Amino acid sequence: MRKSMIAVATATLALALTACGGDSEGNATAQDQQQLVEDTTAPAAASGEIGSAVKTEAGVSVEILEPAQFTPGKFVSQNLTAGNTNNSFTIKVTNGTSAPLDLTTMVVTSSTGAPQSCVDVLDADNGFAGAPMDPVAAGASVDIKWAISCVGKVGTPLTITIAVNGENLAELKGALA
């Protein structure tokens, strides 16, 4: 009798645990994945034009230098769509706070207005490796090389949003180069 009760309890626990956070193969469910990619909806702490620095009330300054066209390297991370415009730029972040700024959670969202109009390009051959892994010390700055591939031609309006820890730090507007 006792063995039966233990077996039933174990089976119930196993069934309950398999329903948590994944499917029967242990993969993340659509709901779990959606939470990872949801856009932040709060307005940016600072906004302005590409080419000019903007500063949040907390003291973090963000500047996106003017975009330039680039040719992806041989080992680019994505299959880029023919006809897209490939731009690169430098994101300069200055930490004017009294604590280190962790940019490992930095998300750069670029858009030319159409849904899913731009994708980030990781291209180590050209120095585009994503967010920095080391925190930015209080009072220090970091330059981050970034690249995107966007639907649109030279001159198409471009909006770039920088979010850290799910909070929009800066939104800058300009045009594709």
Side-chain angles (χ1 to χ4, degrees), residues 15-82:
L15 287 173
L17 290 176
T18 57
C20 295
D23 60 15
S24 61
E25 283 83 39
N27 299 313
T29 63
Q31 182 179 2
D32 295 334
Q33 292 172 351
Q34 182 62 34
Q35 187 174 8
L36 293 174
V37 297
E38 285 180 355
D39 290 336
T40 53
T41 56
S47 59
E49 298 295 318
I50 291 174
S52 300
V54 297
K55 190 173 187 178
T56 68
E57 285 186 28
V60 176
S61 175
V62 178
E63 180 179 5
I64 296 176
L65 304 181
E66 290 292 333
Q69 289 190 13
F70 85 102
T71 302
K74 181 178 179 181
F75 300 108
V76 68
S77 63
Q78 295 87 347
N79 291 323
L80 300 178
T81 303

Side-chain angles (χ1 to χ4, degrees), residues 125-170:
D125 292 340
N126 285 313
F128 307 115
M133 298 308 291
D134 296 324
V136 181
S141 295
V142 64
D143 288 345
I144 307 158
K145 289 182 69 174
W146 208 267
I148 56 177
S149 182
C150 298
V151 174
K153 303 294 180 200
V154 173
T156 299
L158 175 65
T159 301
I160 301 172
T161 304
I162 310 292
V164 176
N165 293 326
E167 295 181 29
N168 287 334
L169 283 184

